[in-house]
Amino acid sequence: MLELMTQGIRLHVSGPFACFTRPEMKVERVSYDVMTPSAARGILEAIHWKPAIRWVIDAIHVLKPIRFQSIRRNEVGAKASFSSTKSAMRRGDVDGLGLRIDEKTRQQRASTVLVDVAYVIAAHFEMTDRAGPGDNPAKHADMFTRRATRGQAFAQPVLGTREFDARFALLPDGVPIPIPDDTMGLGFDTPRDLGFMLWDIDHGAPGKPSMFFRASLANGVVTVPQPGAPEILS
């Protein structure tokens, strides 16, 4: 039986650029209007995650106007093979991992990214059936709070893609969520329909299908359906 964390967390994240890529546009990257729940989960897991817990995103608060910018990036269309990497790890050196980059492997791609973003992620976690006798919600809540307060992470949290790193800070209990200085386009007058948005990947199902939900931005907040909700579509 899953055990719920009784008190959620709120994490402020920001950065100069972000790209929450729409899966239907993989060649030329185009970002969703706001952070996706799966991207928010990835940021929390970068700070603290164990098999004993599962992060659940409750809401995403948008703190700055949604603005896009088109950019062009040089990408490399080749990578070291898995077998070469595995062999190098066994040997303990990097021989054979070099890549020859020429005009054939260098690709220039256009991307439509978000600029100057800031969000507050509201979330909680659940204990999974992989929790051991020493695992409990208080222990993991304390570990996350301590690491987030100190700015520690197991991997650099990113805003969608690895090129766009995220700054983060924990909002202490009792501190209100900031109100956007400019609310234009954030659904304060009329909710803004964001269309179907990626909710997450079902890693436990055959083929790992994507799951979507109809996202709406109301008063600067995207309310995220909970696991198992009928709003989530495969």
Side-chain angles (χ1 to χ4, degrees):
M1 177 180 294
L2 298 178
E3 187 176 358
L4 299 179
M5 179 188 182
T6 57
Q7 186 174 0
I9 61 93
R10 300 174 304 159
L11 190 74
H12 183 283
V13 297
S14 62
F17 296 98
C19 185
F20 308 107
T21 306
R22 290 179 177 271
E24 69 271 24
M25 300 178 183
K26 290 183 177 178
V27 177
E28 303 292 341
R29 299 178 189 273
V30 177
S31 177
Y32 282 110
D33 292 17
V34 303
M35 172 185 284
T36 63
S38 59
R41 175 181 57 77
I43 290 175
L44 299 180
E45 289 182 348
I47 297 171
H48 175 66
W49 178 81
K50 295 290 182 183
I53 67 172
R54 179 179 66 186
W55 284 105
V56 178
I57 308 302
D58 298 319
I60 296 171
H61 298 253
V62 184
L63 306 182
K64 291 193 174 181
I66 299 169
R67 296 191 293 119
F68 290 94
Q69 181 175 326
S70 295
I71 62 174
R72 285 192 174 275
R73 299 185 293 184
N74 290 323
E75 299 184 1
V76 177
K79 62 182 179 181
S81 68
F82 175 75
S83 59
S84 299
T85 304
K86 198 172 180 180
S87 298
M89 291 176 66
R90 281 199 298 265
R91 294 195 310 269
D93 59 49
V94 295
D95 290 344
L97 290 182
L99 290 176
R100 181 181 179 84
I101 307 301
D102 54 23
E103 294 302 322
K104 294 182 179 178
T105 55
R106 187 182 299 116
Q107 303 168 353
Q108 189 175 65
R109 291 183 176 177
S111 299
T112 302
V113 304
L114 295 164
V115 295
D116 191 21
V117 301
Y119 308 98
V120 169
I121 301 169
H124 67 279
F125 64 76
E126 300 173 346
M127 303 300 294
T128 71
D129 55 7
R130 300 174 67 184
D135 291 306
N136 59 71
K139 169 187 172 181
H140 289 284
D142 180 65
M143 292 174 70
F144 178 84
T145 300
R146 185 172 64 252
R147 294 182 62 79
T149 302
R150 294 175 179 173
Q152 297 174 325
F154 290 104
Q156 173 61 52
V158 297
L159 293 165
T161 58
R162 285 180 293 180
E163 299 93 323
F164 305 139
D165 61 295
R167 306 160 188 158
F168 64 91
L170 189 67
L171 279 186
D173 293 341
V175 174
I177 293 176
I179 298 175
D181 294 331
D182 184 353
T183 61
M184 182 176 294
L186 301 185
F188 275 81
D189 296 325
T190 303
R192 176 172 175 170
D193 185 5
L194 302 177
F196 283 101
M197 175 181 286
L198 179 67
W199 184 78
D200 213 327
I201 306 295
D202 187 355
H203 293 281
K208 301 180 179 180
S210 300
M211 297 179 288
F212 297 85
F213 73 108
R214 191 70 186 240
S216 178
L217 184 61
N219 295 324
V221 181
V222 176
T223 301
V224 180
Q226 298 296 285
E231 294 88 349
I232 300 172
L233 307 174
S234 297

